[in-house]
Amino acid sequence: MKFDDLQLIEPLLRAVHAEGYDEPSPIQEQAIPHLLAGRDLLGCAQTGTGKTAAFALPILQRLMATKKTNPAHLRALVLAPTRELASQIGESFRVYGKFTNLVTVTIFGGVNQYPQIDQLRRGADILVATPGRLIDLMGQGYAKLNQLEVLVLDEADRMLDMGFIKPVKHIIAALPSRRQTMLFSATMPSEIESLAASILNDPIEVVVTPAATTVDAIAQTV
Ligand code: AMP
């Protein structure tokens, strides 16, 4: 399959071609058509599988198709466990959206909040955030999520390991219930399964493994 067969709009195709992508990766091929149709998704996939483009391209396409009514309101939110992952996802949205006028802002803790507040004040379509800083900025009234259309939880199992499940649930409780939701996790512990069951509506399920998996050591016991 070629990217050109995925029903993506021209500015997005131009961006993926500019990145040198020719064929969609398995997760992109399986997820993009359903996400473009508005379905929820449960993705069992690690970083390195191309999962960022699998959710970023349909989000960008959806936001291009609808007009923003109020520049202060965010339309898509991606939650990620670490600042490194959040930065990487934010950069991917900028790369895939470079021929659109959509604006992505990335926020995370451990740095001065004022430059991030400044960016939010100027208006953004997509927010990529770590949970703690987002809760801070929601509390201060700078992250307006009441018109949100799409939510992505990325690396949900790592969020669980890092103790973020409570803040994540707190954030989700403040979002409109009518939205498209995607949850990605490399593993599916029971807490993540029950979180997925509570926030996803009739999701399609995609399971992929990275093309090249290197295993350094396996501890086996009998
Ligand atoms: P991700 O799993 O989203 O972190 O992506 C892993 C890497 O694969 C990134 O460096 C992407 O730029 C690259 N990538 C994603 N999709 C494709 C594709 N269809 N063809 C070639 N490279 C890709």
Side-chain angles (χ1 to χ4, degrees), residues 10-24:
E10 190 277 333
L12 301 181
L13 278 180
R14 207 171 356 136
V16 294
H17 288 315
E19 282 306 290
Y21 304 176
D22 184 26
E23 295 187 347

Side-chain angles (χ1 to χ4, degrees), residues 3 19-25 28 46-53 88 92 96:
F3 258 106
E19 282 306 290
Y21 304 176
D22 184 26
E23 295 187 347
S25 69
Q28 293 162 2
Q46 295 176 6
T47 294
T49 51
K51 70 178 157 75
T52 316
Q88 215 176 304
S92 296
Y96 302 135

Side-chain angles (χ1 to χ4, degrees), residues 40 42 183 190-203:
D40 281 3
L42 178 61
L183 185 150
S190 59
E191 287 102 319
I192 297 301
E193 270 184 1
S194 59
L195 176 69
S198 69
I199 63 170
L200 300 172
N201 177 22
D202 186 24

Side-chain angles (χ1 to χ4, degrees), residues 73-74 76-77 127 134 138 143-148 171 174-176:
H73 287 89
L74 296 153
L77 170 66
L127 179 65
L134 176 57
M138 282 166 75
K144 295 185 172 59
L145 297 167
N146 54 324
Q147 287 177 20
L148 196 85
I171 293 165
L175 305 179

Side-chain angles (χ1 to χ4, degrees), residues 8 33 44 72 76 90-91 94 130-131 137 158 163 172 174 184 191 200 204 215 219-220:
L8 290 167
C44 197
E91 191 45 40
R94 281 178 212 108
T130 53
L137 296 191
R158 273 178 82 195
I172 293 172
F184 291 87
E191 287 102 319
L200 300 172
I204 59 141
V215 178
Q220 285 186 322

